[in-house]
């Protein structure tokens, strides 16, 4: 008799605790189903429409303009890169991803399994910036590896049937868009058989699928269970988690579960109402004395840290491996007070104390109500090492001015990051961070709140 079979069915408080555990574990599956429905295309860039009610997968789509307020469907989006995305279904066999030669320009394709683990990356850190091809195979694939895919990193073995590829290509501003568009056009995905056939000049045909999800629907127990259970049927959990997941059948979650009974619906709804606000309000990671929160160091995946995995899925879905990029967050000033647009703040990097990176860094502003970019009169959503016209301090340091109202003085306006009227937070994006930033040895400067107009 297995341990699961020997366990009595949970009731009362035990059932509620189990439901909350299940929601925390399963939330990334729910969010991936939502994001797949929201971001997979109805039309190819050539204008080919998917059949009614269906979407395309196995197809790269490209954001052609830098994100602005109101143009993102992904929380905490960045304003430094153009996104190049694809939803991949390996159910019909292996796929081949071709990437162009970016001539040293930073880019990354981050591959997320359906549990949001960033299990593989394509880009300069691991695979260089030259033109290459990568074979992606489903769990348990036992076919013969075609010639050319023996090189390190060229064969990507996926943990789940469905994957989300979130690509980022560095853009140095509007003048750089045409060059990046040309690079985006060089990314492609094709079934292995088509790729081997070498149909030169013929674009691979995408595959149509039914997303079977309304991404705008509220997180009711019935909707949550339907999405999670559909995800589990296509993307079984790893063997180490199957016994855990079997317990969740008591609250209606599992690949074999169908409609919820009244008790399951009640327990699951109460769990959603308790867990989701908790995830939104919780801060994960390590808080530095300056107030910056260093996120948990995610290396290839979350392992058994299901709480952090759920928090990231809710707030920062698409997070890369920490060695690729790290995202310190600031929610409070140096005294621990929440950041608010009604106050004025100064963020000063002393000489030689800019964020230590091998690629690039930026500080991006977000509205704390919806985790989105903030509309502002100067169309500035981030400040970083490539921002033109920044004024350096007399000693070579850099002072950023963060507030809702336009600051006085040419230098302050040049270094102004506009805030909303209400609560906000900051994300410092550091691509290819150096070890001292990853392990906390590099101390980020505090946000100093200026309490009167005489402070400078």
């Amino acid at each position: 008799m297995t341990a699961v079979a020997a366990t009595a069915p949970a009731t009362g408080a035990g059932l509620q605790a189990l439901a909350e555990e299940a929601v925390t574990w399963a939330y990334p599956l729910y969010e991936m189903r939502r994001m797949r429905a929201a971001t997979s295309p109805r039309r190819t860039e050539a204008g080919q429409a998917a059949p009614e009610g269906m979407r395309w997968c196995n197809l790269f789509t490209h954001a052609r303009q830098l994100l602005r307020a109101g143009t993102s469907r992904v929380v905490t989006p960045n304003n430094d890169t153009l996104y190049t995305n694809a939803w991949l279904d390996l159910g019909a066999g292996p796929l081949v991803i071709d990437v162009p030669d970016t001539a040293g320009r930073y880019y990354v394709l981050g591959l997320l399994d359906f549990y949001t683990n960033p299990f593989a990356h394509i880009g300069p850190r691991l695979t260089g910036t030259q033109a290459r091809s990568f074979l992606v195979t489903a769990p348990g694939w036992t076919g013969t590896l075609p010639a050319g895919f023996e090189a390190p990193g060229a064969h990507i073995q996926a943990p789940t049937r469905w994957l989300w590829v979130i690509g980022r290509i560095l853009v140095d501003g509007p003048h750089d868009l045409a060059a990046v568009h040309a690079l985006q056009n060089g990314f492609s995905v094709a079934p292995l058989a088509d790729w081997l056939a070498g149909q030169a000049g013929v674009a691979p045909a995408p595959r149509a699928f039914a997303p079977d999800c309304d991404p705008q629907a509220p997180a009711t127990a019935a909707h949550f269970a339907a999405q999670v259970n559909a995800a589990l049927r296509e993307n079984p959990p790893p063997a180490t988690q199957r016994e855990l997941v079997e317990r969740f059948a008591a609250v209606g979650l599992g690949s074999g579960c169908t409609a919820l009974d009244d008790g399951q619906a009640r327990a699951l709804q109460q769990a959603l109402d308790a867990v989701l606000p908790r995830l939104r309000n919780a801060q994960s990671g390590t808080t530095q004395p300056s107030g910056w929160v260093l996120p948990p160091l995610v290396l290839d995946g979350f392992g058994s840290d299901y709480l952090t995995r759920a928090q990231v899925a809710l707030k920062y879905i698409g997070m890369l491996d920490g060695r690729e990029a790290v995202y310190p967050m600031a929610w409070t000033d140096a005294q621990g007070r929440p950041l608010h647009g009604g106050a004025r703040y100064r963020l000063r990097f002393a000489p030689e104390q800019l964020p230590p990176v091998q690629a690039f860094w930026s500080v991006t502003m977000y509205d704390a109500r919806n985790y989105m970019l903030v509309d502002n009169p100067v169309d500035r959503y981030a400040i970083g090492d490539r921002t033109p016209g920044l004024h350096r301090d007399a000693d070579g340091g850099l002072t950023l001015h963060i507030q809702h109202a336009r600051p006085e003085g040419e230098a302050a306006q040049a270094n102004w990051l506009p805030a909303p009227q209400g609560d906000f937070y900051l994300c410092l994006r550091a691509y290819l961070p150096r070890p001292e930033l990853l392990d906390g040895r590099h101390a980020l400067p505090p946000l100093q709140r200026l309490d009167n107009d005489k402070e400078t």
Side-chain angles (χ1 to χ4, degrees):
M1 181 179 294
T2 66
V4 172
T7 301
T11 58
L15 184 67
Q16 192 58 41
L18 179 63
E20 294 191 14
E21 181 185 1
V23 166
T24 301
W25 182 90
Y27 186 79
L29 292 170
Y30 170 76
E31 197 61 30
M32 287 289 276
R33 291 272 298 187
R34 286 186 61 251
M35 296 310 302
R36 190 179 67 177
T39 62
S40 53
R42 291 187 175 91
R43 290 181 177 272
T44 67
E45 290 197 332
Q48 181 184 4
E52 182 67 26
M54 303 186 80
R55 299 291 189 94
W56 293 122
C57 66
N58 300 347
L59 171 74
F60 275 108
T61 58
H62 313 290
R64 299 297 192 175
Q65 298 295 325
L66 288 169
L67 289 176
R68 302 160 53 91
T71 62
S72 175
R73 287 171 290 189
V74 178
V75 294
T76 317
N78 81 55
N79 187 245
D80 303 295
T81 67
L82 289 187
Y83 285 103
T84 287
N85 295 346
W87 287 92
L88 305 185
D89 179 11
L90 298 167
L95 299 170
V96 176
I97 295 174
D98 284 327
V99 303
D101 186 346
T102 67
R105 181 191 295 263
Y106 178 84
Y107 84 96
V108 63
L109 297 184
L111 279 69
L112 269 67
D113 69 15
F114 219 72
Y115 293 83
T116 67
N117 292 296
F119 72 95
H121 298 76
I122 297 171
R125 180 176 67 94
L126 296 175
T127 61
T129 62
Q130 69 274 31
R132 288 190 63 178
S133 300
F134 300 88
L135 178 69
V136 188
T137 58
W141 183 77
T142 58
T144 301
L145 195 66
F149 293 105
E150 304 91 349
H155 178 202
I156 299 172
Q157 298 171 288
T160 55
R161 168 184 164 178
W162 277 92
L163 309 175
W164 189 9
V165 183
I166 307 180
R168 302 159 174 89
I169 307 177
L170 178 63
V171 181
D172 277 335
H175 69 280
D176 197 30
L177 288 173
V180 176
H181 294 167
L183 292 174
Q184 287 178 312
N185 294 339
F187 289 88
S188 66
V189 58
L192 175 60
D194 291 352
W195 188 87
L196 290 172
Q199 300 174 358
V202 178
R207 193 180 77 76
F209 75 100
D212 190 28
C213 177
D214 176 2
Q216 303 300 324
T220 63
H223 182 60
F224 183 85
Q227 297 306 314
V228 168
N229 294 345
L232 285 169
R233 285 190 284 273
E234 292 185 323
N235 305 277
T240 56
Q241 298 176 28
R242 287 174 189 166
E243 186 171 303
L244 170 70
V245 177
E246 287 174 1
R247 296 171 51 240
F248 299 153
V251 293
L253 298 185
S255 60
C257 295
T258 54
L260 301 174
D261 63 33
D262 289 345
Q264 291 170 335
R266 184 165 50 252
L268 203 55
Q269 190 62 59
Q270 290 174 353
L272 287 164
D273 293 343
V275 170
L276 296 189
R278 194 182 304 154
L279 293 176
R280 290 190 185 95
N281 296 329
Q283 289 188 8
S284 57
T286 303
T287 302
Q288 291 190 331
S290 62
W292 285 92
V293 179
L294 297 181
L297 189 59
V298 177
L299 304 178
D300 300 321
F302 296 93
S304 60
D305 189 354
Y306 309 131
L307 177 60
T308 297
R309 189 177 71 176
Q311 290 171 338
V312 170
L314 178 67
K315 298 181 186 179
Y316 320 117
I317 195 166
M319 178 182 283
L320 299 167
D321 183 303
R323 293 164 294 192
E324 193 71 38
V326 65
Y327 313 104
M329 299 282 180
W331 299 83
T332 66
D333 63 18
Q335 285 72 46
R337 295 170 292 190
L339 301 177
H340 192 275
R344 298 181 300 119
Y345 303 90
R346 177 174 58 200
L347 180 62
R348 172 172 154 77
F349 295 95
E352 309 301 327
Q353 289 298 309
L354 291 173
V357 296
Q358 294 175 290
F360 65 94
W361 67 269
S362 67
V363 177
T364 309
M365 170 70 64
Y366 298 100
D367 193 316
R369 297 172 304 172
N370 57 15
Y371 314 115
M372 293 296 181
L373 297 170
V374 173
D375 193 19
N376 67 86
V378 294
D379 287 336
R380 175 176 280 177
Y381 306 99
I383 285 182
D385 55 4
R386 294 156 296 107
T387 302
L390 290 180
H391 282 229
R392 290 294 188 121
D393 301 334
D395 63 0
L398 178 65
T399 298
L400 305 182
H401 298 268
I402 301 167
Q403 58 193 70
H404 177 67
R406 185 187 296 268
E408 297 181 1
E410 179 183 350
Q413 291 180 22
N415 294 9
W416 176 36
L417 183 58
Q421 290 182 313
D423 293 335
F424 67 88
Y425 67 100
L426 302 174
C427 176
L428 192 155
R429 282 188 165 76
Y431 280 79
L432 300 186
R434 297 188 183 277
E436 60 267 32
L437 186 55
L438 285 176
D439 62 22
R441 284 178 290 141
H442 177 84
L444 294 172
L447 278 154
Q448 297 290 348
R449 180 169 173 170
L450 308 181
D451 291 321
N452 60 70
D453 292 338
K454 295 181 180 180
E455 294 190 69
T456 60

